[in-house]
Amino acid sequence: MNVTFTRHGFARGAKLALSIVPGMLPFGVVVGVLADAKGLSFLEITLMSALVFAGSSQLVALELWADPAPILAASFAALVVNLRLAPMGAALAPWLDRLRGWKLWGTLTTLVDNSFAFAVADQRAGGRDAGLLLGVGATLWVFWVASVALGHSFAGLLALPPGHPVFFASLATMIALLVPIWRGKRDLLPWVTAGCVALIVHQAGLGQPWPVLAGALVGAATGAWRDRRR
Amino acid sequence: MSLRWDVLAAIIGMALATYLCRAGGYALLRAFRPPPFVEAMLAHMPGCIFVAFVIPTLIAGGSVHLAAGAATLAVMMATRNITAAIAGGVAVAWLLRGG
């Protein structure tokens, strides 16, 4: 595959990212509000958003935050919640294999669920410009850091209870991204398997990341088994 | 504006753990060429990860989330516009909650 890494690809990625920023902002604001409630300073939470850049793991770590800071527990929470990113990096190999140095390891620094989904959809539509992956990731990074900072600054004025409908936005983003990833009937068996296994593991009382990891691995293995039997 | 050493250590620990996840899966793959079955699995991985993430969360959210999820999917399939799809899903969630 002839993979490129251009400014044009980066710009296309940035444009895609902007389309989902409205859905991401409430989540960032909530993380900022929670950080304020847990006693983190503006500098501390901004540094965390910039260096960690993974919303659900920041949320989980902040939920268990204490004084002094729970260094091991927070690191372990980040490891467990973000384990789902490991197979995403591996699945992007057709693009990443052609990159070296900062383009490879720097792009991976910005890998998140949504940049992965946009990249896979583009790859499957014949896209060959890996700059798109960094374009989505870097743009989302800017808005993530800004929205968390905003939440921290205006924590006293914003009252968004946990069940508020705006939080459906992050789930809606993932659901909508399933549409461009769908390749037709051959995806049905692995997808249904993935959904059922994830649901069973979830109902068994195991929290994240186990439903995602078990569902994704069993679903993908079922698809691979079916493909290789034909 | 304070920066405490224990908070900084926790942030650095989280950042390192997260980067290990982001780069580790691909680094392993780059170092060891996987057997054909694993290659075939990786081709199915993207969709399966998202489905496995969405389904339990959606069902845990009850009928409101299911209806809002269906609306998101319908708008996306009709328009292929992700901003419209997210807005449609949130609007349905909002209406059904009477918010």
Side-chain angles (χ1 to χ4, degrees):
Chain A
M1 193 190 286
N2 191 17
V3 174
T4 58
F5 190 96
T6 69
R7 212 175 278 260
H8 177 70
F10 184 93
R12 264 199 327 123
K15 212 176 143 207
L16 287 172
L18 289 179
S19 68
I20 59 167
V21 162
M24 195 188 72
L25 290 179
F27 189 31
V29 168
V30 167
V31 169
V33 171
L34 182 62
D36 177 67
K38 293 288 180 172
L40 271 79
S41 73
F42 181 86
L43 180 61
E44 287 163 348
I45 186 57
T46 303
L47 207 55
M48 185 200 281
S49 302
L51 294 179
V52 180
F53 179 43
S56 22
S57 66
Q58 288 180 237
L59 197 63
V60 171
L62 286 171
E63 293 285 358
L64 53 82
W65 209 262
D67 191 23
I71 299 171
L72 278 180
S75 307
F76 186 71
L79 186 71
V80 171
V81 176
N82 293 325
L83 215 49
R84 70 178 191 290
L85 297 171
M88 293 187 191
L92 287 170
W95 277 5
L96 297 177
D97 278 347
R98 306 304 160 108
L99 304 180
R100 285 187 297 128
W102 74 266
K103 285 180 183 170
L104 171 60
W105 305 110
T107 297
L108 279 169
T109 311
T110 70
L111 179 66
V112 281
D113 310 76
N114 296 323
S115 68
F116 170 69
F118 279 127
V120 166
D122 188 71
Q123 209 173 73
R124 287 181 177 174
R128 296 285 174 270
D129 194 336
L132 180 134
L133 181 61
L134 182 61
V136 179
T139 307
L140 290 179
W141 180 84
V142 169
F143 282 96
W144 175 251
V145 174
S147 62
V148 175
L150 196 73
H152 187 275
S153 304
F154 295 96
L157 301 172
L158 296 160
L160 284 177
H164 197 279
V166 293
F167 295 122
F168 187 75
S170 64
L171 193 59
T173 307
M174 299 236 182
I175 295 170
L177 285 171
L178 281 171
V179 174
I181 295 183
W182 172 256
R183 289 172 298 181
K185 243 180 11 197
R186 72 191 198 92
D187 279 334
L188 192 63
L189 175 71
W191 285 27
V192 170
T193 311
C196 290
V197 170
L199 191 59
I200 291 165
V201 173
H202 173 80
Q203 300 291 6
L206 288 168
Q208 291 302 0
W210 310 116
V212 176
L213 286 181
L217 286 174
V218 177
T222 309
W225 170 78
R226 196 244 357 244
D227 291 351
R228 288 170 58 76
R229 235 169 38 118
R230 282 197 288 219
Chain B
M1 208 180 291
S2 69
L3 180 61
R4 291 158 287 179
W5 73 268
D6 57 319
V7 175
L8 182 65
I11 291 171
I12 290 173
M14 288 174 70
L16 290 177
T18 306
Y19 190 69
L20 193 68
C21 297
R22 286 192 163 115
Y26 175 71
L28 274 178
L29 189 75
R30 197 167 167 116
F32 309 99
R33 275 296 118 185
F37 187 80
V38 175
E39 295 240 27
M41 269 182 79
L42 287 175
H44 285 290
M45 201 57 96
C48 289
I49 293 176
F50 279 79
V51 174
F53 185 85
V54 164
I55 295 294
T57 317
L58 208 53
I59 291 186
S63 55
V64 172
H65 272 189
L66 285 174
T72 308
L73 205 57
V75 175
M76 187 65 184
M77 276 161 39
T79 66
R80 292 265 165 173
N81 180 326
I82 191 154
T83 312
I86 296 169
V90 171
V92 169
W94 210 306
L95 285 172
L96 292 178
R97 284 226 174 82

